[in-house]
Amino acid sequence: MFKKFSWGHGIVLALGSFIAFILFMILIFPNGQKNSELVSDDYYHDELTYQTVIDSKKNADLLAEKPTFQQMPSGIKILFPEKDLPENGKVNFELYRTDDSNLDVKKELSLDKAHAILIPAKVISKGSYTLKIKWQQNKIPYQVDYDVLWK
């Protein structure tokens, strides 16, 4: 079988493989990257102020109890512990959709009497989100991030 295989055949085979690889990279590979978007439109300003996010997460790590969330048919319920309630009962949250920024949900809500807020199911689409919970207590910022898979 290899008796008639010469160095000329090897060169043709190598060039053919290289051309096939280049065509794959040009025609097929970019199709998998069509949904890539910028995380933020104002990414330069966000990068300059990212130290506040780092500090907020460190502050939250020092808490004995962190806010938790529950997925319910009515939506996502965020529960705060009794001793670590936010100032004025105000909580900022962001449901960040990794593949489509049009499905992001950002809002500031007030806690109810059970120290919870509810993100209604009607504003959440099926898919993967990052839930960012931000609040202040005694003028100290806190932030907790959770990965959420909404079904």
Side-chain angles (χ1 to χ4, degrees):
M1 178 174 152
F2 289 109
K3 289 182 181 180
K4 295 188 179 186
F5 190 80
S6 68
W7 61 270
H9 293 110
I11 291 174
V12 170
L13 183 66
L15 285 174
S17 298
F18 179 71
I19 291 170
F21 172 73
I22 294 299
L23 288 174
F24 170 78
M25 295 299 284
I26 292 171
L27 300 175
I28 297 172
F29 184 70
N31 288 337
Q33 298 180 351
K34 286 189 176 176
N35 289 338
S36 61
E37 297 181 11
L38 288 174
V39 173
S40 170
D41 291 331
D42 194 13
Y43 60 89
Y44 183 71
H45 180 265
D46 291 347
E47 182 67 28
L48 292 175
T49 60
Y50 194 71
Q51 186 61 44
T52 59
V53 173
I54 294 171
D55 295 339
S56 299
K57 288 182 179 182
K58 282 183 182 177
N59 293 337
D61 286 340
L62 298 175
L63 293 174
E65 289 184 70
K66 297 179 185 77
T68 58
F69 74 95
Q70 298 174 344
Q71 293 189 31
M72 306 163 50
S74 58
I76 298 175
K77 187 174 190 177
I78 301 171
L79 304 163
F80 274 83
E82 182 75 34
K83 63 180 179 176
D84 293 320
L85 296 175
E87 289 176 1
N88 304 326
K90 302 282 185 185
V91 177
N92 289 313
F93 75 88
E94 178 180 344
L95 272 172
Y96 168 70
R97 182 68 179 256
T98 54
D99 61 347
D100 188 0
S101 63
N102 295 324
L103 300 175
D104 288 355
V105 180
K106 299 177 186 178
K107 202 151 192 158
E108 179 179 71
L109 294 176
S110 297
L111 294 176
D112 60 10
K113 292 180 182 178
H115 310 299
I117 59 173
L118 179 69
I119 305 169
K122 65 182 178 181
V123 299
I124 309 170
S125 299
K126 187 177 182 180
S128 175
Y129 288 91
T130 299
L131 174 62
K132 299 179 180 183
I133 306 168
K134 303 173 187 177
W135 74 99
Q136 284 194 355
Q137 181 183 8
N138 299 326
K139 302 206 189 278
I140 299 173
Y142 295 92
Q143 179 175 337
V144 179
D145 295 352
Y146 296 109
D147 291 327
V148 177
L149 182 61
W150 184 257
K151 295 181 180 180

